[in-house]
Structure formats: C-alpha cells, structure tokens
Amino acid sequence: MISAPDVVAFTREEELEDDLYREPPLPEEYSVPLFPFAGHGANPWAKVAGSKFTRDFILISEFSEQVGPQPLLTIPDDAKVSGTFDLNYFSLRIMSVDYQASFVGHPPGSAYPKLNFVEDSKVVLGDSKEGAFAYVHHLTLYDLEARGFVRPFCMAYISADEHKIMQQFQELSAEFSKASECLKTGNRKAFANELEKKLKDLDYTRTVLHNETEMQKKANDKGYYTTQAIEKANELASVEKSIIEHQDLLKQIRSYPYRKLKESEFHPYEPECALDRADLGCGQDTTPSDPAGAGETHLYTHIPSYTPKLIKAKSAKCFDKKLKTLEELCDVYFFTQTLDQLHHIERTFRGDVCYLLTEQISRVLLKQQSVTNFLFEDMSFLDEKPPEKQFRGCQGLSQDAMDGKGLEESLAPKVVISLGSYKSSVECVPIKMEQEMEDPEEPKMSESVTSEHQENLDYLDADIKGSISSGESIEVLGTEKSGSGLTKSESQASLPVIPSPQAGRSKVGSRRTVSEDSIEVLSTCPSESLIPEDFKASYPSAINEEPYMDHDDEGGLRFTPRPSPGTADEQDDDSKQESLVQVDAACCIGKESPNFLEPLPELGQRPCEEDGVVRIPPQPYRAEQGLRGGFPCHDGVPGGLLPCELDSRYLSGSREVSKSSLDECSDSTSHISSAASTCSDRTPSPAHPACQPGERHRKRAGQNALRFIRQYPFAHPAIYSLLSGRTLVVLGEDEAMVKRLVTALSIFVPNCGVYAKPVKHWVTSPLHLVDFQKWKLIGLQRTVSPAGVNVLHALSRYSRYLSILDADSKTLRCPLYKGTVVARLADHRTQIKRGSTYYMHVQSILTQLCSKAFLFTFCHHLHLPISEREPEESVVNRRMNFLKLQLGLANEDVKIVQYLAELLKLHYIQEPGQVGNPLLRFDYVPSFLYKI
Amino acid sequence: RSSVQTIGEEQIQNPYTELLVLKGHQDIVRFLVQIDDCRFASAGDDGIIFLWNAQTGEKLFELHGHMQKITAIAPFSSSDVFEEKAHLIITASADRTVIIWDCASGRQVQKVSCFHSTVKCLTVLQRLDVWLSGGSDLCVWNRKLDLLCKTSHLSDAGISALVELPKNCVAAAVGKELIIFRLSASSNGSEGWNVLEVKRLVDHEDNILSLVNVNDLTFVTGSHVGELIVWDALDWTKQASECNFRDSSIHPDVQPEIKLSQSPNETSVQHLTSDEECVFAAVGKGIYVYNLQMKRVIACQRTAHDSSVLHIEKLPNRQLISCSEDGSVRIWELREKQQLPAEPVPTGFFNMWGFGRANKQANQAAKKMQENTPMYFLELVGDLIGHSSAVQMFLYFGELGLATCSADHLIILWKDGERESSLRSLTLFQKLAQNGGLQLKV
C-alpha cells in the first residue's frame, strides 16, 4: 500500500534529483531507495550478470566425514534453478566457514563424553566469482555412528542479490532458525531412539557375556584364569563402561528440552508447520499424509518391537558403514516439516529486495494502525509475528539487549527498516585491508581476553603466512554472535557484547582489497568459538584444502580489538548514535554499518570464549574410510544426493505451475508465465513476497478487479455499494464467472470484525435477511428451475437491502453514486497493469479512507455536544461540515466514511471475546438500473 | 393485481434504518410481551419462552418448561408488597399447564397443571392482585397460584378473549357471545372470591375475535363478519355499531369485482386498538379508523396489506403500525384531508341571480357528501421488510425501536440507525475515557 515497486524500479537518479528540488522531500522512512544500477541496463531487475543460477534457492549441504563437503538438496528442487552453478564448489565454500564449536568428546574433568548443545551459527558470505551471495546457517546434528557423534550441516539461502541477503539477514536468520530447530528437534528424538536401541543391544550383550563368563568360571576349576576368561572379563568391563556412557548420553539428550525451556528466549519447536503445509498444500491436489503421523510427534517414544542384537566388541569400527541420510537423522516427520519451512522461506524471500522491503514496511505501518486495520487487511497476515522481532534465531541477544531494542523500536517506529538503514546485527565492513592491525595498547580488553587473543593470533599468524596474497580468499565481513555452549547464563551475560572482540575484529580486521574471485564472508554471528584448534583437528581436509588462512588474513579471525584510526570515528559514531553510517557504496560490498545497542565498554566482561565449554581433542579418529564416489555433479540431480525418499511433491518441479493453474480465475499474467517468457528476469516474482494463499488471492483479486473496472462502466456504483455496506449480489448462471467477479470485488469489502471477510462466493438457495447481515458480497446462482424463481423472488423482496449485479445480462441495480473516492479507486483508464500493483493502489486509497473514518469516529465534538445545552442539530451540522469540508468528502462518499466509522465503533466497543450481534444497517434510497 | 398502496425505496419518514435479527425460536413466534422498559419476552409454537434485551438484542434467558405451544402470555409485574419490583410472566400452553416465571432469574416460579382444557387467554387484574385464566371455564387465581374460584363449564370452544371492566367486572368473549362476570369477595373469608355471570350479550352475529378497552367507560368488540360494537363499560349497553366494512358506500372508488370477491374472512376484525378518540381496527386486509365521537369511520385503507392484517398499534405521534400475513410491517400516518379549494360554494353569486333555493339544495348535498367522506386518510410513510413469513405481532418500544415476530421463527429488532449510531459514539467515548485514551499497539 505504500508504494508500487513496478514504478519505483524504473526511477532514475537524475529524475529524482530534479524532483527533489521541486517538491519537499519525503520523510526518510518513506523514501524509496534509488535503483543503483539504473544506468546499466534496461531491465532493472537484472542486477548481477555474473551469477549462473536463475533465481534464489536454498541449498543444504553436509560436511561428510567420508567425502567432505557435499550438497544434499536444493529448494526449489529443480535443476534449472541452480543452472550451471557449481553446487559442489559452493558447498565446499560454505561448509568451510563453520564457526561452531561443534564437538563432542571427553572433557577432561568428566568421565563420560559430553554432548555439546551447540547453537547454530549464521554467516553471510559472498562469492563474487560465482556471483552468488549466501546466508549460511550451520547446524549440527547428532549421529551415534558419526565421528564425535556429530554431523555438521548447513542450510544456505543463495541469491545473486547481495543486498537482499544483507538486508534480510534478520528475517532469514529467524526463518532458518525455525527450520533448524525443527531439524534438531527431530534429530534429538531420533538420536535418543538410537541411543535406546544401542543401550538395549549393550544390555543384551552384557547379559550374554556375563553368562559366558559364568559358564567359563563353572567349567574351569583350575584356580587361575585363562586368557580367554580375562579377555571376556575385559570385554564385559568395556561393555559396562559403554553402557554407562550411553546412558549418560541419553540423559543429556533428554535433558535438553528442559534445560532449554528455562531460558527465556528458547521457543521449543512446535509443529506449527502443519499450518504452513496446509497453506501450501491447498494449491495442489496431492494430499500428503503425515509421514510420521501425529503419534510420532511425541518425543522419545519407545519403540517396543525392537529386538536387541549382540554387539561384537570391535564392531564400532566399521569402515564401510553407510552414513545416515538427513531424513534418517531427524525423523521423516520433522524432515518433511523442515522442507515445508524451507519452501516457505524460499517463497517468502523470492523476488526483489525492494519489494520485500516495501512489503515489510507496509506491514509494519499497517500493524500500527491497530484501530482501523481490521477493516481491509487480512488479520491473520498482520498477526504474524514480524520476522525482525523474532530473536529466537539469534540467541546471542540477551534479554537486556532485547528490551533495549524493543524500547528503541517503540520510540522510533519500526519503519527503520528502510533500505539503507535496516537494523540488524549485520556489521559494517570497511574494505580496504591494512596490515597494521596490532596496536600495542589494548585499553578496553581485560587481560585474560588479551592473552586469549594473543594465543589465537599466534595460531592465526602461523596460518596467515603464505596465504596473504592468495587469489582465492574468503572474507569474513561481519559476524553475528552465536552463543555456543552449555552455560547459557554466561553467554547471555555476554550478549550485548556484540561489539566484543569479534566485533572489533570484524570491523577492523576485515578491511581488505576486493579480490576477483573470492568468497567473502559478509557477516557471521560472532560465535564464541572461532575456529577452535580442534576444528582443525577434526576437519583437517577443510583446513588444508581451503584457504582458511586467507580467511584469517582478511580479518575474519583476526582479533584486533583496537580499531585503526581510520575506522575509529565511524565506529564511535555507530555506537553513539546508532544511526547508520553509509559507507561509500562503491568501495565496499558490506556497506551496512553496525548498529550496536550497547557500547564497547562491555568488552572487558567478555569471558573466555568457550563459555565453559572445555575443549579437548576429540575422540580418536574413528572410522575414516575411503571416499565413496566423487562429488555429485553440479547439475544438482538430487536423486543421487539424497538417498532418502523425498516427499513426492518436492520432486515435482512443476508444482508452482500446477498451483497457479488451479487458480480459479486463471490469471493470465501469473508470475510463472511471465518469468518464463522474460528470461532476463533474474528474480522472477517480485509479486509475492510472502506467498501465502492470501498473497496469491490478493494478486488474483487485484487482477480481476482491474479487469472488472475496465469491463464494466458501472463499476463505480458497484464498488460504492460494497464500501457503504450495502450487500452486493452477483447473479449469474456460470459459477466460474460469478466467482471471478466475487473475487475481484472482494478487495473492496470492509471486514466487520477480525474474522473472515463477509464474502460468500457461491450460493444456490434463496437469500434471506440473515444472509445480508453475514455477507456483504454474495455470488448467487441463477437457474431456470422453480427453485430459481424463489431465488429471484427473494431478491426482489429484499431489493432494498441489495445491489444486484447481473453477470449474465451485464446490468447493475443499485443506488446512485456521485462521489469522487471510488473514481480514484477504480479508474478504468488506469495505467496499472499488474494485479498486485493494483491491489496496492486499492489498499492505499482504502487506507486513506480508513484514516478519515478514524478521525471522524474518534473526534469527540463531532458526536457529542460540546456544552450541555447545545442542541442536537448543531452537532449534526458540525458533523456534516467536518465530513464535507475537513475530510473533503463529496456526496455519497460521506456514507462510505460513515459506514466505516460505524464499523470502527462497533469494533472498538465490542468486548473482547464477546461476539456482537451482527446488525444490518441500511438506507431507504432509490436504486437505478445500469446497463452497459 | 392488487391495489395495495406501495411506497418506493425512498422513505424519508421511516426511522428504522438498522435491524438486528434475534434467532432462537424453532417455530412460529406468536407472542411478544413487554416486561419493562428494556426487556421483552417472546413465545410461540415451540413452547420456549425467550427473554430479550430490547436495546442490545441480547438473549437474556431461555425458559423451558412447556411441552407444547404457548397459547397465552401475560406479564404480571408490580406487587408493592415486596421491596423490589418483581417481574413475573405467566404463560399458558396447549399442554394444559400454566407457569409463572421470574424474569430476574429466569427461573420457573410455579406451575399449575390442573386444567381441563387449554388456557386461551390470561388477564391480570392488577388492582385485585389476581389473575384470570380463560379456557372452557374462567378461573381466578391469586399470586401464589391458589385457585380462588371458577365458573362452570362455559363452552367447548372456550373463552377467546378477556378484558377487565370497571367495578370488578370482566368481559369474556365466548363464541358469538360476550359474557360479563363479576368478581366479589366471598362472605365467609377474606381470601375467598366468587365469580358470577352478570350478563350475556348476544349482539354479534359471528365469533368475537377481538375485545379491547378504550377507556374506563367504553370497550369495543369486533367479530368475524366485520361487526364492530362499542359498548358502555358500566351498564354493558350497545353504544354504537359499525358493520358496513363490506359496504362500498364509503369507498366510491373501489372496483366492484373486489367487492364481489370479498369473503367474510376479508372483513373479520382481527385486531383492535384505540386511543382516546378513535378505535383502530384491522379488518381483513384493511385498516379502519373509527371515531368514537362521530360514531363513524373517519379514515380507512381498504387494502393496506397483501393479506390479512394481524396486529395493529397506534403510536403517540399519530402514526399507526400494522403487520400482516404477507410478512411486511407498515407504518401509517393519519392525516387530515386537504379540502379542495373549489369545494366552497360561491353562494353569493347564485343568490344574486335568485337561485337561492336551488343553491340551498346544492349546499345541503355538498354538506352531506362532506359528512360521508372521511376527513382523514391514512398515508403510508414506510414499510419494514425483513420477515419471510407472516408477521404475527410486534411490540413498540418507543425510542428503542420495534420488535416484530414472525412465522419464520425470527424476531427482528428494528432500530433508528441515527440514534443507535450516536449511542455507539457515546459508548465509544465512555470506553475511551475508561481506557485512558487510545492505546495503540505499536
């Protein structure tokens, strides 16, 4: 409703400048950023020429202990999407920037292996060679058979538009966290099951061994133990130990949810995806049954029909074992849920970033209109928690920080998500790399931290050598902290500490020259455990093959707590006034400036980076076996990548198309076809940012409405009927046509409450008075049967409450309209072409009407006498004067605002929970018959 | 084609621009009765009684107790014996029971089931603090539901209407007859009452359908064949009668075929109401205004509705509301007929020419004609269309609006949209003050 991106994209800088001189500038929060590449090409959407894929997609990769980084699947699951993009190569890249302290092992103080519940890390990286920018979300899943019990995975949102990644970082992070939480929940369940099975096996083995030992004891009365017996005893002892270890692991994994629940920020995964799934499933005729069923959603259910096996003492070291697939790792049900969520993400972030931001801004603005927004907005849409408010993903933020943020947001309304100033923890990365990093004095750092860093730096220095001038480089441009660790309190305490050593590091350290083919880590969450030493040990291949040191070199890992003078000012500014400093766009990619809520002094409190995670080298290298096969081909044929059975609908690449073809209104310009025809359209559908059914509905309705106002010269009185609360009946024989008209007109129908729109698409029985109370727009069947006569009789009987649009004879019977509002709303000569744009146009005018109605409703003196003796007539006069003069309403427009005001009053005075009796308001006004 | 007067969609004088549909009944709703300023009860063939708030349309209580359809309902309020005013309603049903309900709690107070026949009418004699039930006999009850006395069996058809008369008398319509009963305190006890038949009036040729008090001195009855008789309430003599509703003489403009097609049903006096001056009669499809002083019909609308008018009510502002089997409610206004300017005879001119005699005759004729033609007429000022079936009854609540009940199981509350809108504004600002202003959720 705020703006029409169709138009905006073509705005050139010069024109706008001219305009600026002529007109007073827009307030900052409403201004639309210029399209920076306006001069380069005719199509403003084709921004980056270099990328090899046609549209954004999601990639899931695994760092396999057998074959190294490998892509598992892409969403959408279509080879065309990734095109010639090298998924293998990119997997390698993204998996090599995992900062998680993801490891399990025997901590020194503990007798048993400890599971480390690692937080996900979130990284933004760019690969200028591939023209790809990615939000990368690393997570770790548990696998009893894997080395160290962990399997590192990552999900990446890959886009050619770097701005999108940077500006939507928070949203992406929140959405991916949901997906990750879903995967991990399923994984914990599966892991617990696995442990239980293993325990049963062990228990069984113990019994067998015990019996054997007893047998031997009995059989052997020589008084000394044979080697056999000793072996058996040892074996028994090791089984006992293994049992205890596994029990401990089971206890740990089971205690996880409870431990997490104590934390305020933890939102346990709820299978809300069921809803999402229903949403996206509605367009298809496939009815995917819940793979696991609801019964399995209960965590850690026992599987009774398991017969334990005997475990051979050395069986654990199995070299030719097959690693579990992702689906096996986390339970079919949760896997499917995750895929749903990822599809949802893909649809949500599809399209141009400009559109996404516009959408977000308008949503925020609409949310602020808490009194009037129920009238024309889809409340379910507004009820959605805005992504920027969800901090679930970044548990790095402490409660304090959240409060601070919330407070600040309420002061300066959330419109701050305008393009240049999107507030996130994405940090600024001044680019020019300078080698003088180490200032001798480190005033803000406590000793321990310094020493810690010194240590790290030593380590890094070693790596840096020889790699400084490497052509291929990974650049960490910014990180977001991800708390790793068991001691949550500590990590929370350190939360506001985003500007902690890492912050300084990433800011200062990442100054670098942009090199041609490089992966740039544009942003990561400052994770406590930056590449722990054992990371190197665990993933030697990664370290050796990847220019990891470049990474360090470019500053990602450099601990430079002191900013160099050049950036110090900037940083100070940032921390002081939280305004966003625009770094020259030409010189850097990550021009987001940091927007820290807490100033630097917190630095000193920074605890040791582990937060209590004691690192010891992982367990001896278990089963490293030969690589099986090469990397899958980059065409991304998923069959080979993902052995597990995917839900069939994920395999059908044409699901979108089939969905759109099901649109009953057969929108000819649906984005799919347009995207297909205009190949230059790199980001296919700016049309639906959040592609819920509601979204599609809007687009479709907008398109149909556009057609309606062009086709029917009497569109104005029809729309006026709807806006003034007079029920409009669309009468016709053809159901599809009637429904199409109803869909078109539905966008003009004000809601009576927070419930569904009072629209009934198709009725075949005679209407009754009660129907007009409930519905303001009705599609009615015309039949020639006797029943049809009754239908028409009812229509004529209640004609005073109705406007009747006859779709067959193209006539309209309704009151006269001579106002001006509808003319602006539905100009048949409008230049608007797209349904979604027209929808926005309608939305903006309706919002204008809403605000008028709001003013009218809540102006005290317009409804009540100022003094006690004031006669009623003068109040009425004042009211009419206000409507006509102040609000500038002409003729029947007054009635529209009055009706909306009435709805507002009803809505406001209605007690929550109490469903008011629906009332029907009407006027005794003559109707006229309009013909084409 | 009917000659029913119609009004267009533009109805400036019709104040009812808002309606509320009250759903609850599962069968024909026949009775509406006002309890107090803002409450009313509805009852019908489903045997359920609902209590409603007339302002909000809120359903207050749902009273279950009768097994069959309700045949009579009467409010029984007051009693200054108790501190607070107790609002009771008495309902009679075809299951031969009578129940007293408490409107404050929605509870059944008492139930009587000793009737030999269905009670068809109920009358409360507020003055004596007793109530009467009329079925095949007439029973007198006190508040505690003690049967004080009863008459002998009157007729199988039973009493169709009861009305209170002065001097502890009651008029009961039994078939064609009108029977006057007198209640008298019995000699042996303070609580005992006797009921005596005083007089039987047999002036009607057909069943008496309606019986209504005009004032302390007069009451009116109407019969099935269109007789309207005005009675003296003290000596029960016939003061006047009007039975020419069938006669076309007062309607010279009516086409003869309509007259011919008239059946007795179309002239039955369905309902009567009155103010001090006039009796308003719903006769067949038409409405007649009978002036008591002039003793003649002063205004009429022969076909006010498409079918029988079931209920009629006079509003304070010279307006009249009628409802009918055709499902519509109409609002009429009694207006004085403008005399045509040509009507006064220019006597002087004729006198001058010596036509005095002839002039006198003409003058008389004109005078006679003037007397015959009604000086008033009923103007349709609005109609309310909402029910899909016969509107059985309505209840006028003054400012609060109008409640109509119908055979389509619905009750509709018609309201003045302007007034409701300003009331809502008032509520809104009150709530706003309560909440301390608009709290915008940001």
Side-chain angles (χ1 to χ4, degrees), chain A residues 248-436:
Chain A
D248 192 62
L249 283 176
L250 187 60
K251 207 174 74 193
Q252 289 179 42
I253 196 84
R254 278 185 171 159
S255 67
Y256 176 81
Y258 308 107
R259 190 176 354 180
K260 289 295 274 183
L261 276 174
K262 287 178 203 150
E263 296 160 17
S264 55
E265 297 151 23
F266 177 67
H267 306 272
Y269 172 76
E270 293 142 20
E272 61 189 344
C273 303
L275 266 175
D276 294 346
R277 188 227 287 276
D279 285 347
L280 51 107
C282 73
Q284 307 161 299
D285 40 7
T286 55
T287 50
S289 55
D290 270 7
E296 253 190 280
T297 56
H298 180 61
L299 291 184
Y300 315 132
T301 41
H302 291 257
I303 296 159
S305 62
Y306 179 69
T307 44
K309 301 186 291 279
L310 187 67
I311 296 181
K312 291 201 199 101
K314 310 289 185 214
S315 70
K317 274 71 179 175
C318 172
F319 281 87
D320 52 2
K321 71 176 176 186
K322 185 174 152 287
L323 285 176
K324 289 195 183 68
T325 62
L326 185 54
E327 191 184 21
E328 285 164 351
L329 270 179
C330 42
D331 184 300
V332 189
Y333 173 74
F334 287 94
F335 180 69
T336 323
Q337 296 289 307
T338 309
L339 284 189
D340 282 337
Q341 166 68 9
L342 292 177
H343 277 283
H344 169 74
I345 295 174
E346 196 271 325
R347 281 193 314 275
T348 308
F349 292 96
R350 182 190 292 172
D352 192 82
V353 66
C354 165
Y355 190 85
L356 288 177
L357 288 171
T358 314
E359 185 65 29
Q360 280 163 5
I361 292 169
S362 71
R363 182 159 46 188
V364 168
L365 289 175
L366 278 175
K367 271 183 96 75
Q368 289 176 352
Q369 303 172 334
S370 55
V371 178
T372 56
N373 59 12
F374 77 95
L375 282 174
F376 290 102
E377 303 306 325
D378 184 3
M379 287 309 274
S380 59
F381 169 67
L382 289 173
D383 281 344
E384 265 179 28
K385 274 185 122 186
E388 64 269 13
K389 278 200 157 183
Q390 290 176 345
F391 293 104
R392 187 203 300 186
C394 26
Q395 269 138 358
L397 292 170
S398 77
Q399 199 57 52
D400 290 343
M402 282 175 72
D403 289 345
K405 188 158 188 157
L407 189 72
E408 192 223 47
E409 277 179 355
S410 63
L411 290 177
K414 282 165 287 177
V415 204
V416 255
I417 26 172
S418 68
L419 261 187
S421 63
Y422 189 61
K423 187 187 306 164
S424 70
S425 51
V426 178
E427 296 167 23
C428 164
V429 182
I431 297 287
K432 197 98 167 124
M433 179 73 182
E434 284 159 38
Q435 289 297 341
E436 48 88 32

Side-chain angles (χ1 to χ4, degrees), chain A residues 765-775 778 794 798 802, chain B residues 21 386-389 408 410 412:
Chain A
S765 55
L767 295 174
H768 193 257
L769 188 71
V770 186
D771 300 327
F772 314 138
Q773 273 187 313
K774 252 187 295 184
W775 298 317
I778 304 174
Y798 295 116
L802 299 175
Chain B
V21 176
H387 289 291
S388 55
S389 187
D408 62 4
L410 297 179
I412 297 182

Side-chain angles (χ1 to χ4, degrees), chain B residues 182-257:
Chain B
R182 173 170 282 155
L183 283 144
S184 57
S186 68
S187 48
N188 48 4
S190 58
E191 269 293 301
W193 289 87
N194 280 328
V195 58
L196 290 173
E197 185 182 320
V198 185
K199 194 164 185 182
R200 231 172 238 255
L201 305 166
V202 287
D203 295 76
H204 277 293
E205 285 172 23
D206 205 339
N207 288 339
I208 298 169
L209 295 180
S210 48
L211 173 61
V212 70
N213 263 326
V214 175
N215 49 38
D216 282 349
L217 299 174
T218 26
F219 68 98
V220 194
T221 54
S223 81
H224 190 62
V225 287
E227 304 152 301
L228 184 131
I229 300 178
V230 184
W231 305 88
D232 189 311
L234 296 172
D235 56 9
W236 316 302
T237 54
K238 198 155 113 180
Q239 286 188 341
S241 74
E242 176 77 43
C243 54
N244 57 353
F245 296 127
R246 252 188 299 184
D247 195 350
S248 61
S249 63
I250 55 167
H251 306 287
D253 54 339
V254 169
Q255 292 95 332
E257 64 270 14

